[in-house]
Amino acid sequence: MRTKTISKHEPSGTEYASLQTQFSRYDRTTFSGFVYDRADLGRRYTVELLVDGEPYMSSLCDEFVTELADAGIGDGRFGFTFHVQDQVGSNATIVEARLANIGSPVGTPIRCDVAAPEAQWHRIGDIKWVGGLRFEGWLAQDVDEDIEILIAQRPVMTVRPIGWTNVAQGGEFGVGRRIDFHLPEHFADGRVRGLSARTMSGRSLVSEPIAFVAFDRGLEQTLADLGRWDSERLRGQLFDQLLPASVPFHTYQGWKARFWPASQSDVSSEAAVVLIGDVRVDESIESLEAQRHATWTAASLPAQGFSQFDPRAAREFVDGDAANSDFFVFCLSGTILAEDALQRFADVFASEVDCDLAYGDVEVQGGAVWPLAFSAFDLERALEQAYGAYCFAVRRERALEALRSATSLYDIFLSCVEPDRTFHLPGSVAALPRIDASAAIAELIAASEAYFVRAGIDANVEPRKAGLLPAVRVRRAVDWNERTTIIIPNRNRAELLKRCIETVTPAVHETNARILVVDNGSTEPETLDYLESLSAEEIDVISVEGPFNFAAINNAAVDCVDTENICFLNNDVQALDDGWLAELLWRLAAPDVGAVGAKLLWPNSVVQHGGVVLGTNFFAAHAFNDRMDGDPGYGDLLQVAHECSAVTAACLLMRKRDFVAVGGMDAIRFPINFNDIDLCLKLRHLGKRIVFTPDAKLVHLESASRGRDSAPDRKARFNRELAMLRAKWGAVLLDDPYYSPLLGLDSAPFSALAWPPRSWKARANLPPVPTVPPIGM
């Protein structure tokens, strides 16, 4: 590795005589360097990486270089990093960097068959403000140091990187150590401040202080406390929506004391509480005696197993002490009910005439108290995890009906739930006792099986590895005579398409499916030859001409398909096993399921897609892309199938008739971005469920084919489509039923508490209603 100054005598010409460049190899797959002009430190250059003389990728030189900043060279943002695929790094002979469109060398070429000298510089990390008091970033794997955080150049805290995150480097991805922290709350005073960060050895992570501002309880409440006009409060509300804030989960107790709404209800009704089991009953009764809801009666039913009970004893209680009760609350003995739990249940039954069953969030112990904030009703998760069964309330008539046959806590819950008559109460209604997951799984299997028997559905229910809560795996019977077409759009990049087809073909054979490749103007001879060869493998190829329009390409493909099911699959997706398509089909076998999505990973095993959460930064985000494969996810959501508002079309299975019913993908409003989100929301508008399953797992080289939307020439298009998404689906973007209003929207979903909470109102899972702007508006 050498630093090189381009002289006036080189082919670059006198215009580039003052350039200072560096190029080095950090490891087998990582190359880095910098370019700056001593005569114009405000200029940024684009560098192209060549592997054995062939262009491989390009990158804008705008990464922060600590050494340059410390030397007083501009803002220090002149660096670049390329992370090449492992096979490229292993097989390449010479790797070099050149100025894009100019051809002038950057540093000197690197011989890959010679041991690389120690790199003088590589990108060590970055930090950004994500709203409120929260900051996120990453640190290179080899930098084993804590991070010192400074405000106005004064140290305020030390942060230890934990976990892993995906880092984009020159169009490829690497793994970094995740930085995620909140500043102390006294900095939320409405003053604009600047934050700096450095390693304990003094290496800076930011080029200049990061400006931020945070408001105690949000700007809207701040303005209200100051007595400002309603118009200004509206501005504050919009600010809080677009720049949401959060606090970490470990501050839950203080957050709860600060934000919990005061109960002023005058609803009068009688509650009957059924405690199943005989462990720590006194503690549960003590929490009942502290209830603000004065009229209640309770019974403790001896447990047979985990939560099974004698139905005769239950009926004696119903007809005796609980004869005048308006609703029943079911929970395990040892459950500590919140002081307002019974009152909140009474309120929802009084205000929501369609509500038959209500469940609330719960708290669990793990060295401290941790909140489990649930979604509005999710049938798939209920069948696999019975997540709402640990403290729920049922109207008397519905409870009496269920108690005729139900014999366990899970059985009662699944006997009473109906999607449009089940409500969720945001906020904890109870602290749970320790749950013996292994003992509970058999009862959960029996309850789920009984649900399918009542529904007349042929399904198999199997045990899963227990997590925070017991869990099972559901497999509905599939009519294998119904065929599936896998639609793979493609343009050039034969190596991607070939690898995709090779890895998915075993699943195609297993499920009697077929593959349709949709070519969109490929010109590379290697790709054209490969497409020509596919006919011998009984793979169909059609051609769709014109500029790249992902929605139009898929619409044209569906028009050519005569199978019952269609599976959209990106050409940069690779299967990890042979059972992924069967798993998707088992989920789609439910007639009310509109689309099924898979768990997608980046090649470095960081989760790329765990379902879509709406609302983050007022649009949408992939859930759990701050987790590594194998992480159970918040509330075990990466271990069980569950519903979400949308899944990515990088791997999406649905019925052709449903695709036609919603008008396919919107090729005018969403030609490239958000067409899958729009498609899923249109399905939900028709009453269909969108299911994510972690049991179908594939690798996704996101945007490997078409490039990333952060490229300057694509930002305008992305912003236009984002504006259209907000215009059409803005209401649901602000209130995703599958995401708790108590969880933060400022960054990675399921990673923090909202500050302040967005709503405490009871909610049902209702279909979204679009506002469709006229074309051109």
Side-chain angles (χ1 to χ4, degrees):
M1 184 280 302
R2 288 167 43 194
T3 298
K4 177 178 180 179
T5 301
I6 300 177
S7 72
K8 295 181 180 180
H9 304 291
E10 293 187 22
S12 54
T14 57
E15 181 183 354
Y16 308 104
S18 56
L19 289 185
Q20 193 77 10
T21 73
Q22 183 188 95
F23 184 52
S24 62
R25 185 184 192 186
Y26 174 63
D27 58 27
R28 188 177 69 253
T29 60
T30 306
F31 299 82
S32 60
F34 59 73
V35 179
Y36 67 89
D37 188 341
R38 290 172 297 182
D40 184 3
L41 293 176
R43 188 171 183 180
R44 298 290 187 268
Y45 289 87
T46 298
V47 170
E48 189 173 44
L49 187 76
L50 290 85
V51 177
D52 293 333
E54 295 294 330
Y56 183 77
M57 64 178 67
S58 62
S59 176
L60 180 67
C61 299
D62 64 350
E63 293 181 2
F64 179 60
V65 183
T66 301
E67 291 76 8
L68 297 182
D70 291 344
I73 301 173
D75 60 4
R77 289 195 170 274
F78 305 107
F80 62 87
T81 301
F82 292 110
H83 185 82
V84 304
Q85 295 181 9
D86 188 69
Q87 60 267 32
V88 174
S90 300
N91 299 328
T93 302
I94 295 178
V95 175
E96 56 188 315
R98 293 183 176 272
L99 296 182
N101 301 320
I102 299 170
S104 300
V106 174
T108 56
I110 294 173
R111 288 275 306 275
C112 294
D113 55 350
V114 176
E118 183 178 352
Q120 294 184 9
W121 171 81
H122 74 285
R123 190 180 183 192
I124 66 167
D126 196 12
I127 289 179
K128 64 179 180 179
W129 177 46
V130 294
L133 297 174
R134 190 173 189 179
F135 293 79
E136 278 188 351
W138 61 274
L139 194 66
Q141 296 184 65
D142 62 324
V143 182
D144 188 18
E145 298 185 53
D146 289 351
I147 306 299
E148 187 176 42
I149 306 301
L150 306 93
I151 304 294
Q153 301 305 312
R154 294 183 178 181
V156 297
M157 63 189 299
T158 300
V159 175
R160 183 72 179 174
I162 56 172
W164 303 95
T165 189
N166 206 61
V167 181
Q169 296 177 323
E172 296 290 342
F173 298 99
V175 177
R177 301 169 66 202
R178 180 174 173 80
I179 300 172
D180 188 344
F181 64 92
H182 291 76
L183 292 174
E185 289 188 18
H186 66 265
F187 287 110
D189 57 5
R191 294 175 56 192
V192 178
R193 288 185 166 88
L195 176 143
S196 301
R198 64 193 180 196
T199 65
M200 299 308 291
S201 61
R203 302 182 69 184
S204 179
L205 267 69
V206 295
S207 58
E208 61 278 322
I210 302 171
F212 73 95
V213 61
F215 297 90
D216 186 34
R217 301 187 65 183
L219 179 58
E220 180 188 11
Q221 188 60 47
T222 299
L223 294 173
D225 293 344
L226 293 173
R228 297 296 175 88
W229 303 304
D230 287 342
S231 60
E232 292 303 309
R233 291 181 60 186
L234 184 60
R235 288 177 184 266
Q237 182 184 36
L238 182 62
F239 177 93
D240 291 338
Q241 290 172 346
L242 298 181
L243 277 177
S246 68
V247 293
F249 282 123
H250 68 75
T251 65
Y252 171 66
Q253 293 286 52
W255 174 91
K256 179 181 175 182
R258 183 173 192 175
F259 292 118
W260 202 266
S263 176
Q264 299 178 343
S265 172
D266 58 358
V267 172
S268 177
S269 59
E270 183 171 330
V273 181
V274 178
L275 302 172
I276 300 177
D278 50 14
V279 177
R280 297 172 55 194
V281 174
D282 291 345
E283 296 178 38
S284 297
I285 297 298
E286 185 177 341
S287 72
L288 285 171
E289 291 173 343
Q291 290 295 302
R292 299 170 189 167
H293 189 86
T295 308
W296 58 268
T297 185
S300 173
L301 304 181
Q304 302 168 359
F306 174 71
S307 71
Q308 287 183 318
F309 56 87
D310 185 348
R312 291 174 299 176
R315 287 192 288 271
E316 288 177 7
F317 174 61
V318 168
D319 297 332
D321 293 341
N324 297 320
S325 61
D326 297 296
F327 63 92
F328 286 79
V329 176
F330 297 92
C331 52
L332 295 169
S333 63
T335 298
I336 310 300
L337 276 79
E339 291 182 356
D340 60 352
L342 298 186
Q343 187 62 64
R344 295 184 72 200
F345 284 135
D347 289 346
V348 71
F349 288 131
S351 61
E352 303 290 348
V353 296
D354 293 331
C355 177
D356 280 346
L357 182 148
Y359 64 92
D361 298 337
V362 295
E363 298 169 354
V364 295
Q365 291 284 340
V369 177
W370 299 91
L372 276 183
F374 296 131
S375 68
F377 184 62
D378 176 345
L379 176 59
E380 205 73 9
R381 187 180 182 188
L383 291 169
E384 294 222 344
Q385 194 187 53
Y387 67 99
Y390 296 97
C391 188
F392 64 97
V394 185
R395 285 193 194 270
R396 179 180 181 85
E397 297 79 9
R398 195 76 180 87
L400 294 180
E401 182 180 341
L403 286 171
R404 293 192 186 104
S405 57
T407 58
S408 74
L409 189 68
Y410 298 129
D411 209 2
I412 298 171
F413 179 72
L414 291 178
S415 295
C416 294
V417 291
E418 293 183 29
D420 56 346
R421 303 187 68 85
T422 300
F423 280 66
H424 164 242
L425 289 175
S428 174
V429 294
L432 299 187
R434 179 182 174 275
I435 296 174
D436 186 348
S438 58
I441 285 179
E443 294 181 14
L444 180 53
I445 290 175
S448 293
E449 288 177 339
Y451 175 91
F452 286 118
V453 169
R454 289 191 298 272
I457 297 173
D458 185 6
N460 184 40
V461 183
E462 303 171 351
R464 286 188 188 270
K465 180 181 178 181
L468 184 64
L469 300 175
V472 299
R473 182 180 180 182
V474 169
R475 298 186 184 187
R476 296 172 181 84
V478 171
D479 181 357
W480 298 108
N481 292 318
E482 292 188 355
R483 297 198 63 191
T484 301
T485 298
I486 299 176
I487 298 172
I488 308 176
N490 184 78
R491 174 182 286 181
N492 293 320
R493 300 299 300 270
E495 74 284 358
L496 281 180
L497 178 61
K498 183 176 182 180
R499 182 59 180 158
C500 175
I501 290 177
E502 287 177 347
T503 60
V504 304
T505 294
V508 170
H509 293 158
E510 182 179 295
T511 58
N512 192 30
R514 57 179 289 234
I515 295 175
L516 174 65
V517 176
V518 192
D519 184 60
N520 178 224
S522 291
T523 56
E524 295 175 354
E526 182 182 358
T527 300
L528 296 175
D529 290 344
Y530 180 64
L531 293 174
E532 183 75 21
S533 71
L534 290 177
S535 60
E537 302 178 33
E538 298 185 351
I539 294 175
D540 295 326
V541 179
I542 63 171
S543 178
V544 176
E545 301 299 329
F548 180 73
N549 182 320
F550 184 79
I553 291 169
N554 281 306
N555 288 342
V558 174
D559 287 342
C560 300
V561 167
D562 60 0
T563 57
E564 290 81 2
N565 304 320
I566 48 178
C567 179
F568 300 110
L569 192 72
N570 281 14
N571 65 343
D572 55 357
V573 168
Q574 300 172 7
L576 294 175
D577 57 48
D578 302 345
W580 64 274
L581 184 53
E583 168 63 23
L584 298 181
L585 289 165
W586 286 323
R587 302 294 171 182
L588 191 66
D592 62 340
V593 169
V596 187
K599 179 181 179 182
L600 302 181
L601 309 175
W602 274 297
N604 52 34
S605 294
V606 175
V607 175
Q608 186 263 324
H609 175 76
V612 170
V613 170
L614 304 180
T616 302
N617 297 319
F618 196 29
F619 61 107
H622 294 292
F624 302 116
N625 59 17
D626 59 339
R627 310 292 181 109
M628 293 289 286
D629 185 30
D631 189 300
Y634 180 77
D636 296 339
L637 281 173
L638 284 177
Q639 287 187 326
V640 297
H642 60 274
E643 296 170 32
C644 47
S645 282
V647 291
T648 176
C651 181
L652 182 154
L653 177 73
M654 64 182 300
R655 299 177 187 86
K656 179 181 177 179
R657 64 175 180 271
D658 290 336
F659 186 85
V660 173
V662 298
M665 293 185 181
D666 192 331
I668 296 177
R669 295 182 176 89
F670 307 107
I672 308 299
N673 302 284
F674 310 121
N675 39 62
D676 44 9
I677 293 176
D678 179 65
L679 175 66
C680 289
L681 291 177
K682 289 189 294 185
L683 289 168
R684 290 201 59 238
H685 177 63
L686 295 183
K688 297 289 186 176
R689 297 188 293 126
I690 310 300
V691 173
F692 164 84
T693 172
D695 300 306
K697 187 166 65 176
L698 306 93
V699 170
H700 184 205
L701 309 175
E702 185 184 24
S703 300
S705 299
R706 64 180 179 88
R708 300 186 62 78
D709 290 303
S710 58
D713 62 328
R714 294 172 177 167
K715 285 184 178 179
R717 180 194 66 207
F718 178 87
N719 289 334
R720 182 187 70 80
E721 292 172 297
L722 174 57
M724 187 59 68
L725 181 74
R726 290 170 172 169
K728 183 176 181 179
W729 298 106
V732 71
L733 289 182
L734 293 177
D735 188 19
D736 185 342
Y738 295 107
Y739 192 67
S740 171
L742 309 189
L743 296 178
L745 286 172
D746 57 347
S747 184
F750 301 105
S751 63
L753 294 164
W755 183 54
R758 295 181 294 283
S759 174
W760 298 93
K761 184 180 179 181
R763 23 180 229 158
N765 191 349
L766 302 176
V769 178
T771 300
V772 184
I775 295 297
M777 298 299 293

